[in-house]
């Protein structure tokens, strides 16, 4: 397994040669993922791993995928979506136009969940969902709107628990083991690469969702990302984080009010 010095060499190599900056990632999380790659690919010496990183750009992309990919699902944490449905969206619905940013969207399941919420609230027509991720590969998957059919039973249960009233199967077409979501939803989505470590704000949003991404960053990088979200959020806008994430340590938290015990904060100043 990789030593701290070897991890540091990895971080320097992918940053200097390819521009991927993992310097602010949680060391424990990064080590766990690198150890897995090292084991899966059967390296016996770190020099072999380093040489491949230096000479095989496609392999580097795969390593980045392995480090950054997050497990996601539709309507994950149904109570969270129930709060969005009953509290946040009715308030955002008073605006003439709604911009929502899914930062670190992975393969897009939560973006499609949001689009369904907006459609049911009759807000989709005046909304735009920006979905960003470091990985071009997961974005390609997300923009297709095609997910394994075997997951739909769980997603349907999540949807109903979130307050959904319709038959969830009405939202997709099943074919050859996959569920295809309609172009009506995809037309309101903008997918693009964005690096939370190094890229800057690119618009002003009414709601920013970044769920279960900050847990992979160290405190310094978490603070930088929350500053980025603060700069990107309109007055009285909302930030939503994952169940194990918080704004409480951040320098910007004084400007926000948390909604009950949900990981949803409203920008008050």
């Amino acid at each position: 397994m990789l030593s701290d010095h070897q991890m540091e060499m990895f971080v320097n190599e992918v940053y200097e040669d390819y521009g991927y900056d993992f310097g602010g990632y949680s060391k424990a999380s990064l080590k766990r993922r690198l150890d897995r790659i090292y084991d899966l690919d059967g390296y016996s010496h770190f020099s072999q791993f380093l040489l491949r990183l230096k000479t095989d750009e496609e392999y580097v992309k795969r390593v980045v995928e392995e480090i950054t990919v997050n497990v996601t699902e539709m309507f994950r944490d149904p109570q969270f979506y129930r709060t969005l449905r009953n509290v946040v969206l009715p308030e955002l619905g008073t605006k003439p136009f709604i911009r929502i940013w899914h930062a670190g969207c992975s393969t897009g399941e939560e973006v499609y969940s949001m689009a369904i919420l907006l459609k049911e609230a009759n807000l989709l027509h005046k909304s735009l969902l920006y979905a960003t991720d470091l990985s071009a590969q997961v974005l390609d998957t997300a923009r297709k709107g095609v997910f394994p059919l075997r997951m739909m039973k769980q997603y349907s249960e999540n949807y109903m628990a979130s307050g959904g009233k319709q038959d969830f199967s009405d939202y997709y077409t099943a074919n050859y083991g996959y569920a295809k979501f309609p172009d009506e939803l995809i037309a309101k989505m903008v997918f693009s690469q964005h690096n939370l470590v190094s890229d800057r704000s690119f618009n002003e949003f009414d709601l920013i969702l970044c769920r279960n991404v900050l847990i992979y960053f160290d405190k310094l990088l978490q603070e930088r990302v929350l500053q980025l979200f603060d700069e990107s959020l309109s007055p009285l806008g909302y930030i939503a984080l994952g169940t194990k994430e918080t704004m409480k340590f951040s320098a910007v938290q004084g400007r926000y009010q948390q909604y009950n015990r949900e990981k949803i904060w409203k920008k008050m100043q």
Side-chain angles (χ1 to χ4, degrees):
M1 298 299 102
L2 296 185
S3 67
D4 288 349
H5 178 61
Q6 289 170 333
M7 280 181 49
E8 187 177 340
M9 291 176 69
F10 165 82
V11 169
N12 290 338
E13 171 62 31
V14 296
Y15 179 67
E16 290 177 5
D17 286 2
Y18 302 100
Y20 297 111
D21 187 358
F22 293 108
Y25 274 58
S26 157
K27 284 187 170 52
S29 172
L30 184 60
K31 181 176 188 336
R32 193 163 51 247
R33 302 229 171 177
L34 283 176
D35 283 347
R36 180 176 180 275
I37 295 166
Y38 202 81
D39 186 48
L40 279 175
D41 294 350
Y43 292 107
S44 54
H45 298 284
F46 181 71
S47 58
Q48 297 171 331
F49 182 48
L50 198 60
L51 178 62
R52 190 156 185 200
L53 292 172
K54 286 178 176 293
T55 58
D56 188 343
E57 186 171 356
E58 289 304 311
Y59 181 68
V60 172
K61 290 179 181 176
R62 197 200 126 219
V63 170
V64 170
E65 303 287 341
E66 290 285 341
I67 293 172
T68 59
V69 70
N70 301 305
V71 176
T72 184
E73 62 184 53
M74 298 187 78
F75 293 95
R76 177 173 46 175
D77 309 323
Q79 180 57 42
F80 167 80
Y81 280 92
R82 184 181 285 271
T83 303
L84 289 180
R85 184 193 296 275
N86 295 332
V87 178
V88 176
L89 292 191
E91 187 173 320
L92 296 185
T94 63
K95 294 173 175 280
F97 195 78
I98 304 169
R99 290 185 177 86
I100 297 174
W101 178 15
H102 289 262
C105 70
S106 190
T107 43
E109 283 84 343
E110 295 204 9
V111 188
Y112 286 86
S113 305
M114 178 61 73
I116 289 171
L117 284 188
L118 290 164
K119 179 177 172 58
E120 294 187 354
N122 196 29
L123 298 174
L124 186 62
H125 67 283
K126 64 171 184 176
S127 302
L128 204 53
L129 295 90
Y130 294 79
T132 66
D133 202 281
L134 175 63
S135 165
Q137 185 172 330
V138 297
L139 289 171
D140 283 343
T141 299
R143 64 169 55 91
K144 291 173 183 170
V146 177
F147 303 102
L149 192 60
R150 59 184 162 76
M151 300 303 299
M152 292 304 119
K153 182 176 183 296
Q154 178 64 54
Y155 294 171
S156 177
E157 291 173 0
N158 290 353
Y159 164 76
M160 297 304 292
S162 77
K165 304 294 185 191
Q166 301 190 38
D167 188 337
F168 189 66
S169 63
D170 289 345
Y171 285 111
Y172 61 83
T173 304
N175 202 7
Y176 296 105
Y178 290 91
K180 171 76 170 68
F181 284 78
D183 291 342
E184 175 195 12
L185 302 183
I186 299 172
K188 306 303 291 186
M189 301 172 186
V190 178
F191 295 96
S192 64
Q193 277 186 280
H194 184 276
N195 188 343
L196 288 170
V197 177
S198 56
D199 291 343
R200 309 186 73 171
S201 175
F202 58 95
N203 212 326
E204 183 176 270
F205 301 95
D206 304 297
L207 169 61
I208 298 173
L209 300 98
C210 184
R211 306 219 304 143
N212 303 307
V213 176
L214 296 186
I215 52 176
Y216 297 105
F217 298 167
D218 65 20
K219 290 294 183 188
L220 186 63
L221 181 52
Q222 288 182 21
E223 175 66 29
R224 196 189 313 163
V225 172
L226 289 171
Q227 292 276 356
L228 168 67
F229 291 161
D230 183 57
E231 294 166 7
S232 306
L233 196 67
S234 64
L236 303 179
Y238 288 89
I239 289 177
L241 302 178
T243 55
K244 296 179 180 177
E245 298 165 333
T246 183
M247 291 185 70
K248 288 183 177 175
F249 66 88
S250 169
V252 303
Q253 66 94 21
R255 296 203 286 276
Y256 289 81
Q257 184 177 78
Q258 187 172 4
Y259 181 78
N260 290 341
R261 298 182 66 180
E262 294 294 329
K263 294 304 180 71
I264 299 173
W265 286 263
K266 185 175 184 178
K267 188 175 185 177
M268 307 303 292
Q269 301 177 29

